[in-house]
């Protein structure tokens, strides 16, 4: 079945550690996105990529990094510079001007 | 700048009664409008969208939404609520002249009471 796969679903990190969240899609979409969800704040855009080897910062990019070496993959690294990384992270993709398709999310907890 | 407002954090409705979840938007051009639903610890699921055409849009699971340009609103409705409709609902907007990504509201938690 076509869709977006995020892994891991749950992740625990010690302060000062970098972690990488995986996002893979087999929908053949050019555009991919990373959102952060916190209670009561809705979804906030971290990074997005419209095409392979290109990506742009969203509204809250500080402390995060991404790469887009393949069309299918858009991993997100949460670096130690992110001051409050505990959150639910959602990856999405869409065809041009279409609705977003979301993965099931990754919940990161900093211990 | 684009923005979306969902004025109610929480909506409670009795099973079988009609439900409305409110959304207003602000864009510089003509909008693309979307509704999504999220169940606990899950990703967002697409319900419906307005691009052009009829102001009343029908979507998944019996939901519909009415686009009102003069009031810049896109309220989500369902004639008869089910307990299984209890979830978090997000409205989103894209300016047609803008980038590909969506701007989301803060969400409305719908609780359907048996």
């Amino acid at each position: 079945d076509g869709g977006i796969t995020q892994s891991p679903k749950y992740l625990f990190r010690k302060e000062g550690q970098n972690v990488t969240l995986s996002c893979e899609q087999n929908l053949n979409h050019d555009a991919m996105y990373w959102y952060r969800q916190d209670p009561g704040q809705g979804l906030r855009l971290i990074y997005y990529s419209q095409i392979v080897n290109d990506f742009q910062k969203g509204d809250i990019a500080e402390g995060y990094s991404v790469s887009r070496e393949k069309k299918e993959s858009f991993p997100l690294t949460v670096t130690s510079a992110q001051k409050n990384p505990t959150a639910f992270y959602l990856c999405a993709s869409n065809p041009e001007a279409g609705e977003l398709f979301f993965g099931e999310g990754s919940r990161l907890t900093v211990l | 700048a684009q923005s979306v407002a969902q004025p109610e954090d929480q909506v409670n409705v009795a099973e079988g009664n009609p439900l409305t979840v409110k959304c207003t938007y602000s864009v510089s051009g003509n909008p693309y409008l979307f509704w999504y639903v999220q169940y606990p610890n899950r990703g967002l699921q697409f319900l419906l969208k307005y691009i052009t055409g009829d102001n009343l849009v029908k979507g998944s699971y019996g939901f519909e939404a009415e686009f009102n340009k003069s009031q810049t609103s896109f309220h989500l409705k369902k004639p008869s609520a089910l307990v299984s409709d209890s979830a978090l609902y997000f409205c989103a907007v894209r300016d047609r002249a803008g980038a590909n990504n969506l701007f989301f509201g803060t969400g409305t938690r719908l609780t359907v009471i048996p």
Side-chain angles (χ1 to χ4, degrees):
Chain A
D1 285 354
I4 299 178
T5 301
Q6 289 187 239
S7 63
K9 188 167 180 63
Y10 298 96
L11 184 61
F12 298 89
R13 186 194 97 174
K14 294 182 180 179
E15 284 191 21
Q17 287 182 334
N18 292 357
V19 294
T20 297
L21 307 180
S22 171
C23 178
E24 303 278 333
Q25 56 104 354
N26 60 5
L27 300 168
N28 200 34
H29 292 163
D30 283 319
M32 297 187 73
Y33 310 82
W34 275 104
Y35 288 91
R36 170 178 170 143
Q37 184 178 14
D38 296 282
Q41 294 194 49
L43 275 68
R44 292 182 291 169
L45 183 66
I46 305 172
Y47 268 97
Y48 65 100
S49 169
Q50 304 279 38
I51 199 167
V52 175
N53 292 323
D54 186 53
F55 49 83
Q56 285 80 42
K57 294 181 179 179
D59 301 319
I60 56 164
E62 185 175 353
Y64 299 98
S65 66
V66 293
S67 63
R68 187 83 188 278
E69 298 176 1
K70 299 186 301 181
K71 187 175 186 177
E72 300 80 14
S73 180
F74 191 41
L76 173 74
T77 296
V78 185
T79 75
S80 57
Q82 169 50 234
K83 298 305 179 187
N84 185 21
T86 295
F88 191 53
Y89 291 89
L90 289 160
C91 180
S93 71
N94 68 338
E96 186 173 349
E99 65 267 23
L100 292 176
F101 292 76
F102 283 86
E104 290 294 295
S106 293
R107 186 168 296 281
L108 172 63
T109 303
V110 174
L111 303 174
Chain B
Q2 303 168 68
S3 66
V4 175
Q6 293 182 243
E8 300 159 317
D9 292 335
Q10 174 81 42
V11 170
N12 297 325
V13 64
E15 186 177 22
N17 282 4
L19 69 87
T20 299
V21 182
K22 296 179 181 178
C23 172
T24 58
Y25 66 89
S26 174
V27 297
S28 56
N30 292 319
Y32 284 13
L33 294 157
F34 304 80
W35 275 103
Y36 287 83
V37 61
Q38 185 182 35
Y39 297 97
N41 293 310
R42 303 292 298 276
L44 276 66
Q45 297 178 29
F46 170 74
L47 282 178
L48 51 79
K49 65 182 176 184
Y50 171 82
I51 303 297
T52 186
D54 286 343
N55 290 342
L56 185 63
V57 179
K58 294 189 182 297
S60 307
Y61 312 120
F63 284 94
E64 58 189 27
E66 186 168 10
F67 171 64
N68 187 317
K69 188 172 184 178
S70 63
Q71 297 184 6
T72 61
S73 67
F74 189 57
H75 301 331
L76 182 71
K77 300 181 180 184
K78 187 173 183 181
S80 178
L82 301 173
V83 173
S84 57
D85 292 329
S86 298
L88 188 57
Y89 290 82
F90 289 97
C91 181
V93 66
R94 175 192 299 128
D95 184 337
R96 291 188 187 187
N100 217 7
N101 55 297
L102 301 184
F103 288 83
F104 286 83
T106 53
T108 299
R109 185 163 302 282
L110 172 69
T111 301
V112 180
I113 303 164

